[in-house]
Amino acid sequence: MADDDDNPFNGDTELAVKTKPKTKRPPLYKVLLLNDDFTPMEFVVMVLERFFGMNHAQAFEIMLTVHKKGLAVVGVFSYEIAETKVQQVMEMARQNQHPLQCTMERE
């Protein structure tokens, strides 16, 4: 029989407890389209369909919101995706010589 000194479970034992670090979700960013008096409505609808995956009816509704209210949130994404979407819209507008503005802000 082993003496008590050989028993690893005897005496002062420390219990190792694994704690899960609380990971915060990364902040999300709203992508906004801003109204102007020059960009054709059809172009805005095309941008919404192409870059934001909207069907024609959804894109038309958002375009009307931008037109009537001056701006609309067109999507909420992680920082990197929001930044990419803004760049894509701005580049497409520039290539087509439209003053359409697209921005992002933290949600």
Side-chain angles (χ1 to χ4, degrees):
M1 187 177 238
D3 16 356
D4 288 338
D5 292 337
D6 293 337
N7 185 348
F9 300 107
N10 191 20
D12 294 331
T13 58
E14 290 183 31
L15 183 60
V17 178
K18 284 188 179 179
T19 57
K20 277 190 174 178
K22 290 189 177 174
T23 54
K24 274 176 46 177
R25 289 191 136 174
L28 295 176
Y29 289 80
K30 298 184 282 190
V31 175
L32 302 115
L33 272 187
L34 309 177
N35 188 45
D36 64 72
D37 294 331
F38 304 102
T39 304
M41 293 179 176
E42 299 80 26
F43 181 79
V44 175
V45 169
M46 182 272 300
V47 163
L48 292 168
E49 291 172 344
R50 178 177 290 184
F51 299 118
F52 298 93
M54 296 180 188
N55 65 38
H56 190 76
Q58 292 168 321
F60 191 81
E61 279 297 313
I62 296 289
M63 177 275 299
L64 284 179
T65 301
V66 172
H67 182 69
K68 292 176 184 174
K69 296 189 175 183
L71 64 87
V73 175
V74 295
V76 178
F77 308 96
S78 68
Y79 180 84
E80 292 79 12
I81 293 174
E83 185 177 47
T84 299
K85 300 260 185 212
V86 168
Q87 289 172 350
Q88 289 173 325
V89 171
M90 295 298 290
E91 180 62 20
M92 178 67 76
R94 188 188 63 74
Q95 286 175 356
N96 289 274
Q97 299 178 339
H98 296 307
L100 182 64
Q101 293 294 302
C102 185
T103 63
M104 60 188 265
E105 65 182 42
R106 193 169 174 160
E107 189 173 48

